[in-house]
Amino acid sequence: MVSLSDKKEGIISRSWQRLNAFPGKIKKLGQDDSRRITHSLKVGLAITLVSFFYYFEPLYSGFGVSAMWAVLTVVVVFEFSVGATLGRGLNRGLATFMAGALGFGAHRLASLSGNKGEPILLALFVFIIAAAVTFVRFFPRIKARYDYGLLIFILTFCMITVSGYRDDELLEMAHKRIWTILIGGFTAVAVCILIFPVWAGDDLHNLVANNIEKLAIFLEGFGPEYFKILEDEEAPKKVSEGYKSLLNSKQSEESLANFARWEPRHGKFRFRHPWKHYLKIASLTRQCAYRIEALNGCLNEETQTPQEIRYKIEEASIKLCSESVNTLKELALAVRTMTPPTSANQHLISSKIAAKNLQSMLNTGLCKETDLLEVIPVATMAYLLVDVVSCTEKIADSIQELASLAKFKSTKKPEERQAQPNLCPNRSMQTNSGISIPAAQPNLCYQRSMQRNSSISIAPHHVIKIHQESPCLSVDPTLSKTTV
Amino acid sequence: MVSLSDKKEGIISRSWQRLNAFPGKIKKLGQDDSRRITHSLKVGLAITLVSFFYYFEPLYSGFGVSAMWAVLTVVVVFEFSVGATLGRGLNRGLATFMAGALGFGAHRLASLSGNKGEPILLALFVFIIAAAVTFVRFFPRIKARYDYGLLIFILTFCMITVSGYRDDELLEMAHKRIWTILIGGFTAVAVCILIFPVWAGDDLHNLVANNIEKLAIFLEGFGPEYFKILEDEEAPKKVSEGYKSLLNSKQSEESLANFARWEPRHGKFRFRHPWKHYLKIASLTRQCAYRIEALNGCLNEETQTPQEIRYKIEEASIKLCSESVNTLKELALAVRTMTPPTSANQHLISSKIAAKNLQSMLNTGLCKETDLLEVIPVATMAYLLVDVVSCTEKIADSIQELASLAKFKSTKKPEERQAQPNLCPNRSMQTNSGISIPAAQPNLCYQRSMQRNSSISIAPHHVIKIHQESPCLSVDPTLSKTTV
């Protein structure tokens, strides 16, 4: 008995704790994204607007009970983003119209076969259409865009066909239903677009830029953390692990891209903005995040490589990190502001030079070390860094492609860009830990148009073709054609 | 004009090509998973069954137009798996009932405030409930399980409250609606469970086992491929890349686990089967797949390490691979057959010994090589292999945990197991390329109960604490407590 009452008390106290935590959770949910609050209020408003149908005598008497379809439409169509709402609305409208027409045809056809044949024929039609359309819903590409429409198609067809058997006012019912759905859909879309619209396209655009920036933020903290440049006991973990959200973001990116394709021209985006290309950039960013994950593993290593071994590649590594950070930040900025990533190119070239230097240093500096076990973790880290540069280049290429597909326009005149090669040296150079790393010197860089065939030919993982050349800090005009 | 007609022709020929490819696509979709065909036929059957409501006079006159709710319920509730169908059905039923009761209360409350106050109060109620419930839908845990119920809650509440303003037969309407929904839901669930049921739990269970096996299949092909044991020009790519599907399978696993939790006791699974624990195993398997992805990168490397360097670690690596393959296959088999993974433990120990040997060999054999650049790729590969062993151990631990949570029962008596330590030596030892690697010798293994604290303490990536000991092939009884 005691244990039972103890259990009861436990349940009560846990419920009480949960109840107490609830307001905090609500607050956090709203603070994380205040658009959630706006969206909730918008849904409430749209439904209230549509429910006025019932209150106003003339409107109500026109539609009768069918008016409920307007409420139903608003509830099921209203989604968080404009694209999702439009997609569902169009799916619902078109599917209702097409299924209604087909259902009416099926009903007429069945009615020709006499009293006995009619129910059998109708049942057969319902079975065939329901089974066939359900099967079509399994096609991945159709499912991604038209799943809801197909569901509504089955629903409407069955309801029209079957109720048609009973009711000869089919046309009037169809007419009312289409009108109420149009009214409901229009209300939902209007409220969704006119009051604080949430564009899936904007979300995808920002997500891609943020993801690239997350990589930069990690790398910014990585160099100082790995080489223990600033040992600050109070801040034990300086590197940002924000990049981890990238590792599993594929599906949310895909659904955003699907929604964005329903959206009309808005803000900076044209009607046929290349949303699919964002998925390509996102995929390359994720590839880079896998390398970053491996680099993060290097921070937690147990083998304590002597500081002097690390010291040999410190400068080159820090330089590579800072140039990669600059490249990635410029790329993120280019996506965000929709300008061609010209200034990123300069940093990319510098980072490739840094990668070359790092490799030479490994070759000349570390080969003298005979204790392989101490060298290997450092060498692995260095190779991962070089790998990150090759990933960065792929991202830069695909953003360059996006820039030409989406016709990104430069906000500055060419002369201005020439004079100001580094658009945000202070912002991108300041590391998390407050260390300021000198920006790429303009005299080390030169303007180069990003060309696809100039990519570093580095294999997917760890494996780099290394030219045993002496360290090269001077500008090599043929660099864009050599294999770093 | 020519270009226009060319364009037209292009569109027509492309449409024709697509139309021609369609039957092939349908066939492939059905062949990939024949349950899709069964599901489509089941949906057709359930809807046809429910549509009989309209055909039979006594049933129809009882419910009138409300009978359409039964069809609607079947269409929206019927999902691919039993769990999803039950979840939607329960969500729909409960939400309708609760929202109906609340809507009725709101309607009565509003009617007390007189003719003028009533519409204002009703509109206020609708606004508040719609906004509040929409906000609650943003809670991730609630969204995962009750999203559909909350949608139906808003829908029903609004329809009951608003239509109630017009219609005093509210109770009768609610009564009819609940009955029709019950009939529709019952039909959907009955057809779903009784005719070729698809259990989400079974799918999750098999998915987890298959995923582990995919890792094994990759490793099986990796050793021979990396060391070019059997150079067969006709089969240029021997390793299986099936593991790649694991990298982005998180969301499908989570939704399967959510569905599985709705399912009743069936087949081998009890009612409260630890479905959530499968997600843990799946996550560890994915961690291992990241290492496998890196290993796959080693196959495509450009640096041609001299064969003699590779040869030094070939035997140890092949041994490690084959033991890991055995461990993983035994683990997959244990999950599949729901038996404790005792025979996997033996292989795990052997693979840990092999990992230790490989490390020693790196230390003694490769340290003499002075050309760091040639050694590093091989060393990286070797460390990744050792890392795979540590991942395998984590997977084994979590499967052991699952075995105790789900009370896996051994199908054999203890004596039989002792006599037959390797349950499937031939199956798991036969590599893709036909090379037969000797199974772990029973005298090298000893039975050990899997203990959580005996794990190899290897850092997340690449970084292994290495004891500089001489190669050890004999059984070390203290192994389970040493750090390999």
Side-chain angles (χ1 to χ4, degrees), chain A residues 119-192:
Chain A
I120 298 170
L121 252 175
L122 284 179
L124 198 71
F125 284 150
V126 166
F127 180 80
I128 291 172
I129 289 285
V133 177
T134 304
F135 188 75
V136 169
R137 285 176 72 197
F138 283 112
F139 282 99
R141 288 176 71 177
I142 293 177
K143 191 176 182 68
R145 296 204 79 190
Y146 306 109
D147 194 52
Y148 183 67
L150 291 173
L151 188 80
I152 294 297
F153 186 91
I154 302 177
L155 192 74
T156 310
F157 178 82
C158 294
M159 276 165 56
I160 294 270
T161 318
V162 170
S163 74
Y165 179 65
R166 195 55 58 179
D167 191 351
D168 284 332
E169 296 169 313
L170 246 192
L171 273 182
E172 203 196 320
M173 175 185 154
H175 175 250
K176 275 183 186 170
R177 206 181 151 192
I178 284 175
W179 267 106
T180 44
I181 284 185
L182 277 180
I183 291 168
F186 181 76
T187 313
V189 169
V191 171
C192 190

Side-chain angles (χ1 to χ4, degrees), chain A residues 40 43-45 54 57 60 127 131 135 162 166 251 301-303 363 372-373 376 379 383 462-465, chain B residues 40 44-45 54 57 60 127 131 134-135 162 166 251 301-303 363 372-373 376 379 383 462-464 468:
Chain A
S40 307
V43 172
L45 179 69
Y54 287 91
E57 202 68 29
Y60 182 75
F127 180 80
F135 188 75
V162 170
R166 195 55 58 179
Q251 275 183 310
E301 65 183 45
E302 290 183 13
T303 325
N363 201 17
L372 192 67
L373 292 171
I376 282 175
Y383 283 151
H462 293 303
V463 184
I464 303 111
K465 195 173 177 181
Chain B
S40 306
L45 178 69
Y54 286 91
E57 201 69 28
Y60 181 75
F127 180 79
T134 304
F135 189 74
V162 170
R166 196 56 57 180
Q251 276 183 310
E301 64 182 46
E302 290 183 14
T303 326
N363 201 17
L372 192 67
L373 291 171
I376 282 176
Y383 284 152
H462 294 303
V463 184
I464 303 111
Q468 306 201 1

Side-chain angles (χ1 to χ4, degrees), chain A residues 310-368:
Chain A
R310 292 188 180 201
Y311 183 72
K312 285 185 182 159
I313 58 160
E314 179 178 325
E315 201 189 319
S317 301
I318 292 276
K319 176 79 183 162
L320 187 154
C321 277
S322 80
E323 287 303 337
S324 295
V325 167
N326 286 352
T327 315
L328 288 168
K329 286 202 168 180
E330 289 292 343
L331 288 175
L333 192 73
V335 171
R336 212 182 290 282
T337 57
M338 297 185 78
T339 47
T342 35
S343 50
N345 294 355
Q346 303 172 357
H347 292 298
L348 184 62
I349 292 161
S350 306
S351 70
K352 282 161 78 177
I353 295 171
K356 206 173 174 182
N357 284 335
L358 182 59
Q359 286 168 350
S360 307
M361 225 151 268
L362 278 180
N363 201 17
T364 55
L366 292 191
C367 271
K368 290 165 204 154

Side-chain angles (χ1 to χ4, degrees), chain B residues 407-419:
Chain B
K407 297 180 186 120
F408 282 7
K409 270 169 205 142
S410 179
T411 47
K412 294 190 178 181
K413 288 174 194 165
E415 310 91 66
E416 277 182 72
R417 282 208 306 281
Q418 214 83 30

